[in-house]
Amino acid sequence: MSELKVIATIKTDFPTKFGIPRQSGLVFTKEKIVFEKEYRVDTALRGLEDFSHLWLIWAFSENKSDGWSPTVRPPRLGGNKRVGVFATRSPNRPNPIGLSSVKIEKIYNDGENGTVIEVSGADLLDGTPIYDIKPYLAFTDSHPEAKGGFADNVLCDNLTVEFLNDTKDQIHSQDLENLIKILQSDPRPHYQNDDRVYAFEYAKYHIEFKVSSNVLTVTKVQFLKDGKNV
């Protein structure tokens, strides 16, 4: 069997794992797929403009675990119940491969990287290696009657998001809507339920927040320049 080859990487607004949407399609942030030089061949994308969505096959490049376990503790179950790894989307797998469905926004030449694909709705870390892309086919890939196993039995009540003082005013309107959706879904591990201050980076912002009952309060926003607080 031939070795898997990285054909592209994806540029996203998530420089760290904390805060990334738990599944693709939950938050429609914008991302850009940049092909490796060997695969910057426009004819390889011929006809793709007629599709609306893609499957991304990618690598859990930041998965630091050694080996794999036949059972894992999904965050959706509070981190205290084990189920079979093949019944989850855990990164701790025999092969660290991920699968995500994203929407094609546009295909264009950005001048620096040749032809790129702008997508939305990805749940990937910035710089994640892409092994392959395949068109999403609604007539065969969509199953409205499908059951979601334990994920169907977990309540997903959104948090109420509030902003302390003028923190909301420091966020550009184009980023604010997506940030609120990320926060509403509670970025914390599901087994964490305390009032500590959490922090993560999104787009060009350092965000700090805490949760009390069902209210998430953004306590601090700092603009990041070249990856540093300013």
Side-chain angles (χ1 to χ4, degrees):
M1 185 176 67
S2 59
E3 181 182 352
L4 285 175
K5 297 179 179 179
V6 175
I7 67 164
T9 56
I10 190 167
K11 296 184 179 297
T12 78
D13 284 329
F14 298 99
T16 61
K17 290 186 290 184
F18 190 87
I20 295 177
R22 291 187 173 91
Q23 303 293 341
S24 59
L26 292 180
V27 181
F28 283 92
T29 53
K30 297 290 181 66
E31 298 85 24
K32 184 163 69 172
I33 298 171
V34 177
F35 288 90
E36 298 294 302
K37 290 184 179 180
E38 180 181 355
Y39 302 102
R40 293 179 188 176
V41 183
D42 286 351
T43 52
L45 299 177
R46 183 183 298 163
L48 188 61
E49 68 278 1
D50 295 328
F51 293 88
S52 65
H53 292 73
L54 284 177
W55 288 111
L56 301 181
I57 301 170
W58 48 276
F60 283 105
S61 55
E62 293 300 308
N63 182 14
K64 304 301 183 182
S65 63
D66 295 326
W68 72 288
S69 171
T71 61
V72 296
R73 294 187 176 96
R76 290 290 297 272
L77 292 177
N80 53 18
K81 180 179 179 180
R82 285 191 173 274
V83 297
V85 66
F86 298 129
T88 76
R89 298 190 178 188
S90 167
N92 299 314
R93 323 183 69 79
N95 294 299
I97 296 174
L99 178 69
S100 298
S101 175
V102 297
K103 181 181 179 182
I104 300 174
E105 296 292 341
K106 59 182 178 180
I107 303 171
Y108 66 101
N109 190 310
D110 74 352
E112 178 184 359
N113 302 296
T115 301
V116 301
I117 307 175
E118 183 178 301
V119 299
S120 61
D123 53 344
L124 279 69
L125 184 72
D126 184 48
T128 294
I130 306 294
Y131 288 137
D132 206 354
I133 62 174
K134 296 178 184 290
Y136 176 96
L137 304 178
F139 76 92
T140 185
D141 293 345
S142 177
H143 303 280
E145 76 286 0
K147 296 189 296 182
F150 65 82
D152 283 346
N153 300 322
V154 178
L155 295 177
C156 296
D157 296 332
N158 284 340
L159 298 177
T160 298
V161 177
E162 297 180 350
F163 290 82
L164 190 65
N165 300 327
D166 62 347
T167 51
K168 187 175 183 178
D169 299 332
Q170 300 178 51
I171 304 172
H172 194 281
S173 58
Q174 292 180 339
D175 299 315
L176 183 59
E177 182 179 355
N178 283 326
L179 176 61
I180 290 176
K181 290 179 179 178
I182 293 167
L183 296 173
Q184 283 177 334
S185 63
D186 196 350
R188 302 175 302 167
H190 278 264
Y191 51 82
Q192 294 287 2
N193 187 19
D194 52 39
D195 58 359
R196 77 177 71 177
V197 175
Y198 291 85
F200 72 104
E201 294 177 12
Y202 168 67
K204 296 181 178 180
Y205 308 97
H206 171 85
I207 309 293
E208 296 185 10
F209 69 89
K210 60 182 180 180
V211 179
S212 178
S213 298
N214 202 44
V215 178
L216 183 151
T217 302
V218 176
T219 58
K220 185 177 182 180
V221 174
Q222 283 186 292
F223 181 76
L224 299 175
K225 184 175 182 181
D226 299 326
K228 299 178 181 179
N229 293 349
V230 295

